[in-house]
Amino acid sequence: MKRGSTSWPYAACDFIASGLSWVLFCLVRNHLMVSGPVVSTHEFFDGIIILPFGWVLLFMLTGFYIVSLKRSRLMELVYSLIVTVPGVSIVFFVLLTRGFITDNSLYWSLFGTLFFLQFVLTYVPRVIITSITARKVHRGLLGYRTIIIGSNGLALEIFRKIREERIPSGTILSGYVSVNKVESELFSRNLSYLGDLDELPELIAENMIEEVIIAIEGNEHDTLGKIIGMLHYADVNIRAIPSLKDMLTGRVEQSAIFGTPLLEVSNRVMPAWQSNIKQIMDYFLSLIFLIILSPFVAILAIMIKLSGSGPVIYSQQRIGKNGKPFTIYKLRSMTCDAEMDEPLLSSSSDARVTKIGRVLRRHRLDEIPNLINVLRGEMSLVGPRPERQFFIDQILKKAPHYRRLLKVKPGMTSWGQVKYGYASTVDQMIQRLEYDLLYIENMSLLIDLKIMIYTGLIILNGKGV
C-alpha cells in the first residue's frame, strides 16, 4: 500500500469535526452569555467556512497528514494535543480582537469549551481510523511491499524474524535481491528471487516496492555505497540490520513492540512543518514574482527577438528530484547553434553568448522562466541547481555521492551558486557540489532565506557570472 494513501480520511474528518466544533461552541457561547450579543449569522457562517480550512492547513503544515501504516495511537494523542493547544489559542486571539468575546469572566470557560470540542471531535475519528488501519496491518492485510537485499545468513535471519513476528508490523515481503549475482537455493525455498543488484532500480519499479531491507554480510560491505547510491533514485524506505554500536548510540528507532529491530535510514532532510512551509512559499512567491516581473520579461523578450533569430524561451531537459527528467525554461542567452554536436558547459568568455545574453547572465535574468518550473512543482526557489544527464554521468564517475543531491528538488538558486558561482568544467561542478551537499545537511527555512537574500544582492550587483 502506497505511503500517504491513508491521509485523506484524516483530513476529511478534521474538516467536518472542526466545523461541528464551531457550531457547538457558538451554541454554548450564546447560552452562557445571556446578557451579551448572540453570534450573528455572518460570524456563524464565517466560522463554518473558514475555521475548518484553517485547521486542516495547520495540521498539514505540521506534517500530521504524512501518514505511516505504522502510526502509533499513543503518538496520535500526544501530537493532537501539541497542535490543538496553539491552534485554539490562535482562534481565541482572533475572536477577542473581533469582539466576539466581550465577557472576560467567561474567558477561560469558553477557551476550555472550544479546546474540548475541537480536541475530542478531531481526536476520536483519528483514533478510529488509526485503529482500523493498525488492525489490518496486524492481520497482514496492509503493509509495505518490501524486498531484502542479500541472500546469505543475515538475510535469511531477518526473513525468519519477520515471518515469526507475533504481530505483523506492516512488512510484506515480495522477494530478495542477490548481491553476488548468485541465487541462493536455501533462500529461494522461502522467498522469491527477483534478480541481482545491478537490476535494483528496475526491480523496485517493476514490483512497486516501497521498502528495502539491507541485509548484507561483512565481506559484502564494499557494495554498501553502491546500494545506497542506487536507492537515492528510488522513493523507498530504507532499513538495515543494526550493529551493536547503532543500538548503544540509540540510532535504532523502534515503535512497534513486537517488530523486528532494524535501523531506519531517514530520507527526510527537513522537518515536515518546514518542508510544507517551504513548498507553500515556493508556489506563492513564484506566482507573485511572475506577475510582478511579467512586464519586464516582455521587454526582455522584445530585446532578445531584436538581437537575432531564434526563440525567446530556451528549453532543455534536466534531471530533477529522484532522478526524474523535466524540461527547464530559460530566456535564451546564446546563439541558436550553441550546441550542434554534444552538450557543452559555458564560461564567462563563451563566444556563443549573445550581447543581450551577457547582460541577462550577469544579473541572472535568463533564469526568470524557471519560476514556471517552480509553479509546476519541478523545482524549488532554493535547492541544488539541476544538471543534464550527460554531465551527471561524468560527475558520478568522480563523485558518486552526487546522487545525494537528487533527493531534493533542484532550485533556481543554491548555496553552491552563491558561494561558488557558475561552473565551466566537470571538476568545478564537483567543487561546487560540496556546498550543495552542505546545504542538504543543514536545510532549513532560515538557510533558504539567507540564500535568497545573497542571491538578490548578486542580481543587483551583476555578479551572476
Side-chain angles (χ1 to χ4, degrees):
M1 181 171 182
K2 277 292 180 186
R3 297 184 298 279
S5 59
T6 56
S7 60
W8 70 265
Y10 290 94
C13 288
D14 284 346
F15 187 88
I16 296 171
S18 298
L20 180 59
S21 68
W22 173 251
V23 172
L24 296 176
F25 172 74
C26 287
L27 293 175
V28 171
R29 186 258 190 192
N30 287 347
H31 175 74
L32 292 176
M33 299 184 69
V34 291
S35 60
V38 297
V39 179
S40 68
T41 303
H42 176 70
E43 291 171 327
F44 181 77
F45 283 104
D46 273 358
I48 291 179
I49 295 171
I50 297 173
L51 282 180
F53 281 107
W55 278 108
V56 170
L57 179 62
L58 177 62
F59 280 110
M60 182 194 75
L61 289 177
T62 53
F64 186 85
Y65 299 134
I66 300 175
V67 180
S68 168
L69 293 179
K70 302 172 186 179
R71 190 163 176 150
S72 165
R73 279 162 285 191
L74 178 60
M75 286 304 298
E76 194 93 59
L77 172 63
V78 175
Y79 203 90
S80 294
L81 283 171
I82 290 174
V83 179
T84 304
V85 170
V88 170
S89 300
I90 293 171
V91 172
F92 234 67
F93 176 77
V94 173
L95 295 180
L96 285 172
T97 57
R98 294 185 62 182
F100 188 82
I101 298 173
T102 56
D103 192 339
N104 292 333
S105 63
L106 296 176
Y107 178 88
W108 289 111
S109 296
L110 292 174
F111 183 92
T113 299
L114 182 58
F115 173 80
F116 175 80
L117 291 171
Q118 181 66 35
F119 176 76
V120 171
L121 291 178
T122 53
Y123 175 66
V124 171
R126 289 175 193 157
V127 172
I128 294 173
I129 295 170
T130 302
S131 298
I132 293 172
T133 302
R135 192 174 296 114
K136 290 181 179 179
V137 170
H138 296 331
R139 290 178 180 176
L141 301 176
L142 283 179
Y144 296 134
R145 289 182 288 273
T146 305
I147 58 172
I148 296 177
I149 298 179
S151 54
N152 295 315
L154 285 176
L156 190 57
E157 181 184 351
I158 287 296
F159 166 77
R160 287 173 176 166
K161 284 183 178 180
I162 293 173
R163 282 293 175 91
E164 292 170 3
E165 287 178 350
R166 290 177 56 189
I167 301 177
S169 59
T171 300
I172 300 176
L173 293 172
S174 299
Y176 77 95
V177 174
S178 174
V179 175
N180 52 21
K181 299 184 179 182
V182 177
E183 182 178 354
S184 169
E185 183 180 348
L186 178 63
F187 209 0
S188 295
R189 293 175 191 170
N190 303 284
L191 197 60
S192 300
Y193 172 65
L194 299 179
D196 59 60
L197 193 58
D198 292 335
E199 305 170 294
L200 185 58
E202 293 77 15
L203 293 174
I204 289 175
E206 290 171 5
N207 295 278
M208 296 183 290
I209 299 302
E210 301 162 291
E211 190 168 81
V212 171
I213 297 176
I214 303 174
I216 58 178
E217 302 291 327
N219 59 356
E220 298 172 329
H221 277 189
D222 57 334
T223 63
L224 184 59
K226 179 180 178 181
I227 294 171
I228 297 298
M230 297 174 84
L231 292 177
H232 272 312
Y233 285 100
D235 183 21
V236 294
N237 292 330
I238 304 173
R239 304 171 77 193
I241 297 175
S243 64
L244 179 60
K245 179 182 177 182
D246 293 324
M247 293 184 179
L248 292 175
T249 55
R251 293 174 61 196
V252 183
E253 296 184 6
Q254 185 73 8
S255 57
I257 298 299
F258 298 101
T260 303
L262 290 168
L263 173 66
E264 187 157 344
V265 181
S266 176
N267 284 326
R268 190 172 299 167
V269 292
M270 289 180 78
W273 68 272
Q274 288 198 38
S275 181
N276 289 327
I277 292 177
K278 177 181 171 71
Q279 188 168 348
I280 290 173
M281 286 176 59
D282 282 342
Y283 290 132
F284 177 74
L285 292 178
S286 60
L287 181 61
I288 296 298
F289 288 150
L290 272 175
I291 293 173
I292 294 175
L293 296 174
S294 56
F296 182 57
V297 172
I299 296 172
L300 292 177
I302 294 172
M303 294 173 68
I304 294 171
K305 201 67 179 175
L306 293 175
S307 66
S309 61
V312 171
I313 300 294
Y314 174 70
S315 61
Q316 190 180 74
Q317 189 179 84
R318 298 288 176 97
I319 303 301
K321 184 178 179 181
N322 295 325
K324 295 180 181 178
F326 70 97
T327 301
I328 193 172
Y329 300 102
K330 302 177 73 174
L331 291 174
R332 184 172 60 83
S333 60
M334 287 187 176
T335 57
C336 292
D337 57 350
E339 290 183 340
M340 297 296 291
D341 300 319
E342 65 177 23
L344 296 172
L345 291 170
S346 181
S347 65
S348 57
S349 59
D350 198 327
R352 298 173 300 164
V353 180
T354 63
K355 290 182 178 180
I356 181 65
R358 294 192 187 284
V359 176
L360 295 177
R361 284 170 167 251
R362 279 202 302 271
H363 296 276
R364 295 190 180 175
L365 302 177
D366 58 322
E367 295 169 0
I368 292 176
N370 285 181
L371 293 167
I372 297 172
N373 295 109
V374 177
L375 277 177
R376 292 172 59 171
E378 298 162 335
M379 292 178 63
S380 176
L381 291 175
V382 180
R385 286 295 294 170
E387 300 294 347
R388 286 178 278 181
Q389 188 66 56
F390 178 84
F391 294 112
I392 290 177
D393 292 339
Q394 295 182 53
I395 294 171
L396 289 176
K397 292 176 183 178
K398 298 182 177 182
H401 50 289
Y402 176 85
R403 290 188 179 94
R404 176 69 173 159
L405 299 188
L406 299 176
K407 293 306 296 182
V408 299
K409 283 184 183 180
M412 290 184 63
T413 185
S414 69
W415 198 331
Q417 284 282 84
V418 169
K419 295 287 288 185
Y420 192 91
Y422 281 104
S424 56
T425 66
V426 171
D427 288 336
Q428 288 181 358
M429 294 170 81
I430 293 173
Q431 292 175 19
R432 189 177 63 187
L433 162 67
E434 301 305 321
Y435 293 105
D436 289 328
L437 287 173
L438 190 61
Y439 165 74
I440 289 179
E441 295 302 323
N442 296 275
M443 277 184 73
S444 69
L445 294 176
L446 180 60
I447 293 294
D448 279 13
L449 180 59
K450 287 183 177 180
I451 291 173
M452 285 192 282
I453 291 173
Y454 279 113
T455 301
L457 295 175
I458 290 172
I459 292 172
L460 292 173
N461 294 328
K463 295 181 179 180
V465 179

